[in-house]
Amino acid sequence: MRNRTSREVEVVTGKDRQKQLAREHYERQLRARAEREQKSRRAAIIGTTAAVVVVIGGVVAATTLLGSDDSDATAAASASASSQPLANDPKPYDPAKGTCGYVPDEGSGQVKNVGMPPEQVSTAPATMTIKTNLGDIVAKLDSEKAPCTVNSFKFLASKDYFDDTKCHRMGTDFPILQCGDPLAKADGKNPTDGQGGPGYRFANENLAGAKYTRGVLAMANSGPNTNGSQFFIVFGDTGLSPDYTPFGTVTKGLEIVDKVAKKGVIASPGGDGTGAPKQPVVIKDVTITSKS
């Protein structure tokens, strides 16, 4: 094996450094979004409580206190472990009862409401097929390690929640494709892209030793236990910290994501190297099959 020249080492090091900077910039932006989201949620809870007091006092204009300032909830690979859990966190999976907790997402403004998933869940192996305008992406879901997440996806898929939705965010130096915002336009112009969700949230799962390598399917969030419907597909090495529930692995169709990445992204104002993919990715249908 020949030794690298100093020029070659410099080029490789520079490329790695570029990826590192892009990742750090991205995570800083997401931490800021998480902080804004936490403030938004606290404001919503306080506002609701105050409204009840006003109603008891006989004032009819109580509804003015119920508005909340929705920020970038559920942003891609969002938040860090340093964010404080919310007081009314959903209950994690209870193996004795076979149940998961799902709670209303008070701070969410962009909602496609199709109801709440059933608490009773199955840990049977499952396969998810994401039918897109560019072909099928198939993933093996880890129902044993992420039962609440898989149960939520089964529920949403049964309600056609993901039908005709657009994957709104992609990175090149930061190799993820983010989907699951039911109201995203993915045109690089819509300020609410990345804020959409189902109106409920559930607990983080399967974080111990989590790695976000090529093919991993994981949940986007805006802090601990704020999972909704947004998820991301990893098509390279992200180096993310273990804060995002990994719930499956792509077994077929990852080359579709590779081809989309080569077309580039519509740069976002944040300058973090991510943006809406120039090649639109539209989810036409999601189906999940399980073995009993």
Side-chain angles (χ1 to χ4, degrees):
M1 181 187 300
R2 69 181 180 88
N3 293 328
R4 289 181 181 175
T5 66
S6 60
R7 176 61 178 170
E8 287 174 319
V9 173
E10 181 182 356
V11 170
V12 173
T13 303
K15 184 177 180 181
D16 290 343
R17 179 60 176 163
Q18 184 180 14
K19 288 184 177 181
Q20 180 185 0
L21 291 173
R23 182 171 64 247
E24 290 174 351
H25 183 95
Y26 185 70
E27 290 186 323
R28 282 197 302 272
Q29 184 184 54
L30 296 173
R31 282 196 293 270
R33 286 176 176 172
E35 290 172 2
R36 292 197 300 272
E37 173 64 10
Q38 292 290 75
K39 290 178 182 178
S40 174
R41 292 179 191 280
R42 284 196 294 270
I45 294 170
I46 292 170
T48 301
T49 304
V52 172
V53 174
V54 173
V55 170
I56 292 174
V59 179
V60 295
T63 53
T64 60
L65 296 178
L66 297 178
S68 64
D69 177 21
D70 185 47
S71 58
D72 290 345
T74 59
S78 332
S80 76
S82 61
S83 300
Q84 295 299 314
L86 302 176
N88 59 334
D89 270 348
K91 294 181 180 179
Y93 175 64
D94 184 337
K97 298 179 180 179
T99 59
C100 287
Y102 301 92
V103 299
D105 188 3
E106 296 94 345
S108 179
Q110 301 292 316
V111 173
K112 179 179 179 179
N113 191 345
V114 293
M116 200 86 78
E119 291 188 351
Q120 201 70 39
V121 306
S122 170
T123 57
T127 300
M128 177 167 67
T129 301
I130 305 171
K131 294 185 178 297
T132 79
N133 58 317
L134 303 174
D136 291 357
I137 299 173
V138 181
K140 178 182 178 182
L141 303 184
D142 197 339
S143 303
E144 289 189 358
K145 294 183 179 180
C148 300
T149 306
V150 174
N151 184 61
S152 175
F153 267 77
K154 286 180 179 177
F155 172 76
L156 293 176
S158 72
K159 299 295 184 180
D160 297 329
Y161 176 92
F162 297 104
D163 291 11
D164 299 316
T165 61
K166 297 178 179 181
C167 296
H168 64 278
R169 197 170 199 182
M170 184 172 230
T172 49
D173 287 334
F174 191 76
I176 60 99
L177 174 66
Q178 186 173 340
C179 313
D181 178 345
L183 305 176
K185 295 181 179 179
D187 58 4
K189 301 176 182 178
N190 186 28
T192 61
D193 278 11
Q195 296 181 16
Y200 65 81
R201 56 190 179 85
F202 55 94
N204 288 347
E205 302 179 287
N206 195 26
L207 296 185
K211 302 288 186 181
Y212 306 95
T213 53
R214 181 175 169 81
V216 167
L217 199 63
M219 293 300 295
N221 64 52
S222 57
N225 306 322
T226 59
N227 302 290
S229 60
Q230 292 189 45
F231 63 97
F232 59 96
I233 300 170
V234 181
F235 60 94
D237 182 15
T238 62
L240 281 170
S241 56
D243 299 321
Y244 317 97
T245 297
F247 66 100
T249 305
V250 174
T251 58
K252 177 185 176 183
L254 200 54
E255 70 279 358
I256 294 172
V257 182
D258 292 333
K259 291 178 181 178
V260 173
K262 289 180 179 178
K263 297 290 181 68
V265 301
I266 303 170
S268 63
D272 61 0
T274 69
K278 289 183 177 179
Q279 167 66 66
V281 181
V282 182
I283 296 177
K284 310 303 288 184
D285 184 43
V286 172
T287 56
I288 299 177
T289 56
S290 297
K291 296 180 181 179
S292 56

